[in-house]
Amino acid sequence: MSDTVAYERHGDVAVLKVNNPPVNALSQSVRQGLLNGIERAESDDGVRAVLIVGEGSAFFAGADITEFGKPPMAPALPDLVDRMEASPLIIIGSMHGVSLGGGLEVALGCQYRLAVPSAKIGLPEVHLGLIPGAGGTIRLPRLCGIEAALDIMTTGKHVPAQQAHALGIVDEVRDGDPFENGLAYANELLAKNAPRRVVSELEMPKSDDWDALYDAVLAKSRGQISPAMCVRSMQGGAEMPFAEALLNERKIFVELLQGDQSKGMIHAFFSERAVGNLPELKGVDPRALTQIGVIGGGTMGAGIATSALLSGLNVTMLEMSAEAGEAARGRIEGNLAGALKRGKISAERHEEIMTKALTVVTDYAALSDADLVIEAVFEEMEVKKTVFKQLDAVCKPGAILASNTSYLDINEIASVTSRPADVLGLHFFSPAHVMRLLEVVVADATAPDVVATGFALGKRMGKISVRAGVCDGFIGNRILSTYRTCADHMILDGASPYEIDQALEEFGFAMGPFAVADLAGLDIGWAVRKRKRAEGLDPRARDAAYVDTICEAGNFGQKTGKGYYDYSAGAKARVPNPDVLPLIDAEREAQGITPKTFTKEEIVRRYMAAMVNEAAKVVGEGIARRPLDVDMTLLFGYGFPRYRGGPLKWADIVGVEGLLNDIKSYAEEDDYFWQPAPLLEKLVAAGKTFEHLNKGDTV
Ligand code: 3HC
Ligand code: NAI
């Protein structure tokens, strides 16, 4: 047998116990072990049934993703599933934990499927830019019909056992030990001479209009192609003999595996898990957290408090006045009502939070027993310093003091306290109880266990936490400022905000930069521009005053009903604000610029070049430790399309050398803005990619 699959004989039943921690991925040794086990059972005298059961946390989490992109190793998963169906024995799968992707496909190769109530099934291949590749697209619809099968495979969702039973995917749901249950079920089937029941021999449902299904799925997937390809593969199942349809599915799977979208998404899968894995924190215990303080209950403070409450922490919210405190409580209550409506918390928990876990105060003394306090007051250094001095005076020794500042210097904030080792940045994104990104900003003196506590808090809140160093805007907002500036330059030179938004939304961004600016509030950028102008702009920096004119008229975007767009017909029905283009024309005229046209490709190329160049500076300066940290920041905080992996994965895919050449050609027009990142130049000179740096290589 193989190292990962044990063969046991229990009366007439051969049991194949799979043990491939942590999640029983179907690696080569598991596939081989299952194949050997089935062959051995067939020649084992008296064996009439085979039970497949997973040890540990899962039945199977699917194909071994680490094998993707490497030379294929026999037996291939589709061949194994075919071989299972061809066996004269009755094969039973007893599922617990997850049965995902290839794991569900193995279950579909069984003739009978049993699950414990907590088991979940799913085909999440679309999240890796793939389709199910071992018969899933043409076996699942035979059990549950086209609509349910398409829903499962195009969303990649995890379906609970009872629901899977109701859909006809699972035959029985029984509580108890998966092995004991499975053995009992196998013996019951044998006792009643249950027939062999092969899924591929069941009738394949048909659709009247496959093209309409394909178009509908494609329209929903924002440029990602794999969900729509599930339809095409299913269609093959309805129109071709089974064996041919299986080859067709395999062909689509392999094409997608070789394509860029799966490269981006597989990078995202592993990076999402690697991002919180920092060597410097190995063996460092986080400090205990029970009681959290939040200063300022505006947009961010209320969201942060909500997130903390939802993760089971107690929160003391401090506001400037009783009225402001009540407004903050109202915002938190509104957020929690949403969580209650979506079933994220029970009515009892909601009541408990509002009456016990949340306290709203105006007196700093109430924060004396807080384990960690997060400040989310106005973005002004002097206000922040005043708050931190007061916190330093009242908070207990060992309490952690955090700032949610977007841009300000955490070292300067820490310097007004007597405990800079306990100070860090915890930069949440709006809305803080929804957005998954958290930048853990490490200042010069921040202690390692304080950093570890930031990561522990993020994990508890279900966030993707990224380590960032101190600079203007940390990782995300610093890069954002640069690519936004690039977009502003393109506007001065002839593009319209609407062309830019459209090009970038077609590239895959959830929203273009000007729609985002309207959502965040144009007043934020206005304040930053005023601050930067007050600090003194470099004379070589290009400036545009037309946006200030929009702000001066009281138009701050969605919240006032007008910005780049007019929202009078609702937030979703955005239409260009007719006042904007004349303002831009006037600005170009004032600056003596003759406008030129930009194609969508040129817009995307410049915008992405600016993003990659700044990202390379951020990595080169150590603000982000690895390229993947930048990628995850943009993915989880800035609506970057997951199927492109992140800006630096995208750069690797399109080629870093070509990008550097473009940056150098743009520098011929503006050598102040387009200064090539030294790291990018070194990578190109060494013939390396950002992925080399992710793997620990240096240049
Ligand atoms: N292959 C290889 N490694 C895997 C894996 C897989 N399918 N699934 C998970 N892992 C690894 C993770 O990378 C992680 O490794 P690390 O500890 O070194 O970072 C470890 O297993 C534990 O994973 P998580 O941290 O994600 O653990 P959770 O308990 O939070 O989640 C899970 C478990 C729900 C199974 C989640 O890992 C998951 O969703 N995995 C991917 C499932 C998937 O996409 N399956 C389809 C694969 S493609 C396929 O089957 C193709 C077929 O159709 C031919
Ligand atoms: P906001 O204006 O909505 O809320 C600020 C709140 O702080 C107000 O309720 C105000 O009453 C309170 N406040 C001000 N001074 C105070 C003091 N001395 N003591 C107690 N309460 C005080 O601002 P917002 O948007 O919530 O921003 C807060 C911080 O979060 C800023 O530093 C901002 O840069 C940062 N941030 C903002 C994001 C956003 O998208 N709005 C995203 C990430 C960070």
Side-chain angles (χ1 to χ4, degrees):
M1 290 305 295
S2 78
D3 297 346
T4 49
V5 182
Y7 184 97
E8 288 176 11
R9 175 82 191 256
H10 292 264
D12 292 351
V13 183
V15 181
L16 306 184
K17 286 188 175 168
V18 181
N19 189 5
N20 186 25
V23 291
N24 285 339
L26 284 150
S27 55
Q28 192 278 336
S29 111
V30 175
R31 299 194 302 274
Q32 189 68 57
L34 289 171
L35 183 63
N36 294 350
I38 287 161
E39 284 174 351
R40 179 167 162 189
E42 286 171 3
S43 59
D44 196 348
D45 249 8
V47 167
R48 293 197 292 146
V50 178
L51 170 68
I52 301 177
V53 62
E55 307 249 56
S57 65
F59 184 62
F60 298 106
D64 185 341
I65 305 169
T66 60
E67 286 181 2
F68 289 173
K70 297 183 186 155
M73 288 180 287
L77 198 55
D79 298 341
L80 171 67
V81 179
D82 271 2
R83 179 67 184 79
M84 288 169 63
E85 281 200 333
S87 176
L89 302 175
I90 291 191
I91 304 183
I92 298 129
S94 181
M95 302 188 268
H96 76 291
V98 290
S99 305
L100 299 176
L104 178 58
E105 290 171 304
V106 166
L108 296 177
C110 296
Q111 285 136 45
Y112 291 89
R113 285 159 293 281
L114 172 73
V116 295
S118 57
K120 298 217 164 85
I121 61 118
L123 291 173
E125 285 87 344
V126 287
H127 295 317
L128 301 171
L130 301 170
I131 65 166
T137 65
I138 54 179
R139 282 195 180 92
L140 190 65
R142 289 176 147 87
L143 290 177
C144 65
I146 291 176
E147 199 181 328
L150 254 190
D151 180 43
I152 291 171
M153 63 184 84
T154 58
T155 60
K157 67 184 178 191
H158 294 188
V159 181
Q162 286 296 2
Q163 204 182 326
H165 177 245
L167 287 168
I169 302 166
V170 166
D171 299 298
E172 289 264 346
V173 179
R174 288 187 195 174
D175 210 354
D177 175 68
F179 162 67
E180 301 288 348
N181 275 353
L183 193 57
Y185 184 51
N187 282 319
E188 287 164 33
L189 290 170
L190 291 179
K192 64 177 182 195
N193 269 327
R196 278 182 76 253
R197 206 188 42 173
V198 173
V199 174
S200 66
E201 290 171 4
L202 302 174
E203 196 181 334
M204 176 74 190
K206 295 192 172 32
S207 162
D208 298 336
D209 193 345
W210 290 104
D211 288 346
L213 274 182
Y214 175 88
D215 290 343
V217 173
L218 193 64
K220 269 206 251 164
S221 346
R222 257 206 222 122
Q224 198 198 324
I225 50 175
S226 59
M229 292 315 288
C230 291
V231 178
R232 286 291 179 240
S233 183
M234 237 188 216
Q235 180 179 2
E239 294 175 354
M240 300 171 190
F242 188 82
E244 207 180 301
L246 200 59
L247 287 176
N248 178 57
E249 181 193 72
R250 193 69 195 160
K251 184 167 165 280
I252 297 173
F253 177 87
V254 170
E255 276 168 12
L256 289 170
L257 188 60
Q258 288 164 351
D260 291 343
Q261 293 198 351
S262 72
K263 291 193 180 80
M265 293 185 99
I266 291 171
H267 170 74
F269 176 85
F270 286 115
S271 301
E272 194 179 320
R273 286 159 178 79
V275 74
N277 194 352
L278 296 178
E280 74 208 52
L281 297 184
K282 281 248 150 63
V284 179
D285 288 330
R287 296 185 191 172
L289 292 181
T290 312
Q291 191 69 41
I292 302 284
V294 178
I295 316 291
T299 314
M300 291 308 292
I304 294 167
T306 307
S307 190
L309 290 163
L310 287 174
S311 71
L313 293 159
N314 293 329
V315 173
T316 304
M317 159 67 68
L318 185 140
E319 256 291 353
M320 291 198 286
S321 65
E323 299 74 56
E326 277 320 295
R329 183 191 285 277
R331 276 188 276 275
I332 296 169
E333 196 158 15
N335 293 341
L336 290 170
L340 180 65
K341 202 170 136 201
R342 285 192 300 278
K344 278 189 157 185
I345 44 168
S346 63
E348 296 73 47
R349 178 67 192 142
H350 181 262
E351 174 69 15
E352 194 184 21
I353 291 176
M354 290 313 297
T355 54
K356 291 196 190 122
L358 173 66
T359 318
V360 181
V361 300
T362 52
D363 184 355
Y364 275 80
L367 296 167
S368 59
D369 63 349
D371 303 305
L372 178 148
V373 181
I374 305 169
E375 162 280 307
V377 303
F378 302 134
E379 183 77 341
E380 284 168 35
M381 183 55 96
E382 286 319 308
V383 182
K384 306 255 186 213
K385 282 183 174 172
T386 310
V387 168
F388 271 76
K389 278 184 205 157
Q390 293 180 86
L391 288 174
D392 193 30
V394 299
C395 289
K396 66 185 179 189
I400 296 174
L401 309 184
S403 174
N404 182 51
T405 177
S406 306
Y407 287 92
L408 300 176
D409 183 346
I410 307 284
N411 285 317
E412 194 176 336
I413 295 174
S415 72
V416 302
T417 73
S418 62
R419 50 174 114 190
D422 295 338
V423 176
L424 84 169
L426 289 177
H427 183 217
F428 291 81
F429 289 71
S430 181
H433 58 298
V434 176
M435 292 291 286
R436 300 224 26 228
L437 182 64
L438 172 65
E439 282 182 308
V440 178
V441 187
V442 181
D444 292 349
T446 311
D449 65 337
V450 170
V451 181
T453 312
F455 275 90
L457 176 69
K459 188 164 186 185
R460 186 163 179 173
M461 290 177 165
K463 307 283 181 205
I464 299 289
S465 306
V466 179
R467 184 203 186 281
V470 176
C471 68
D472 196 8
F474 317 121
I475 299 178
N477 280 346
R478 171 168 161 185
I479 297 171
L480 163 77
S481 297
T482 303
Y483 64 76
R484 256 310 303 257
T485 304
C486 169
D488 290 336
H489 290 177
M490 285 193 273
I491 288 188
L492 285 177
D493 291 335
S496 84
Y498 316 111
E499 285 168 343
I500 293 178
D501 276 358
Q502 196 191 355
L504 290 160
E505 284 165 18
E506 283 174 18
F507 176 81
F509 278 95
M511 286 169 107
F514 298 99
V516 169
D518 272 359
L519 178 68
L522 300 184
D523 46 329
I524 296 181
W526 194 23
V528 173
R529 283 193 302 283
K530 282 196 253 184
R531 172 167 64 86
K532 292 203 168 161
R533 286 189 194 122
E535 286 165 11
L537 282 182
D538 190 292
R540 294 167 296 171
R542 302 177 70 187
D543 198 10
Y546 78 92
V547 203
D548 300 342
T549 318
I550 304 177
C551 294
E552 280 154 16
N555 294 323
F556 295 153
Q558 281 198 24
K559 60 186 166 192
T560 59
K562 243 191 209 180
Y564 285 98
Y565 295 89
D566 187 325
Y567 299 93
S568 35
K572 287 209 172 116
R574 60 178 208 214
V575 290
N577 173 357
D579 300 338
V580 170
L581 291 182
L583 288 173
I584 294 173
D585 283 339
E587 174 95 40
R588 288 181 191 138
E589 210 173 302
Q591 296 199 24
I593 297 167
T594 311
K596 58 183 179 189
T597 52
F598 287 86
T599 63
K600 283 181 186 166
E601 291 71 30
E602 282 165 344
I603 289 170
V604 168
R605 188 75 180 175
R606 276 187 185 244
Y607 190 81
M608 287 304 302
M611 192 184 300
V612 170
N613 199 37
E614 192 64 30
K617 290 179 189 173
V618 161
V619 177
E621 291 167 23
I623 299 297
R625 283 282 160 87
R626 299 155 298 187
L628 69 86
D629 293 309
V630 172
D631 285 342
M632 294 308 99
T633 302
L634 271 289
L635 232 57
F636 287 99
Y638 296 82
F640 193 93
R642 188 177 173 94
Y643 63 80
R644 297 196 189 271
L648 297 180
K649 183 67 189 176
W650 176 85
D652 277 354
I653 289 173
V654 301
V656 282
E657 186 168 4
L659 270 175
L660 178 62
N661 290 340
D662 280 1
I663 290 167
K664 286 180 175 163
S665 76
Y666 304 147
E668 287 167 18
E669 299 160 18
D670 178 354
D671 62 359
Y672 174 67
F673 180 75
W674 292 104
Q675 297 176 41
L679 179 66
L680 193 56
E681 297 197 295
K682 282 191 214 158
L683 277 184
V684 171
K688 290 185 178 168
T689 62
F690 288 107
E691 187 58 18
H692 285 99
L693 305 181
N694 284 330
K695 299 249 155 71
D697 209 345
T698 49
V699 280

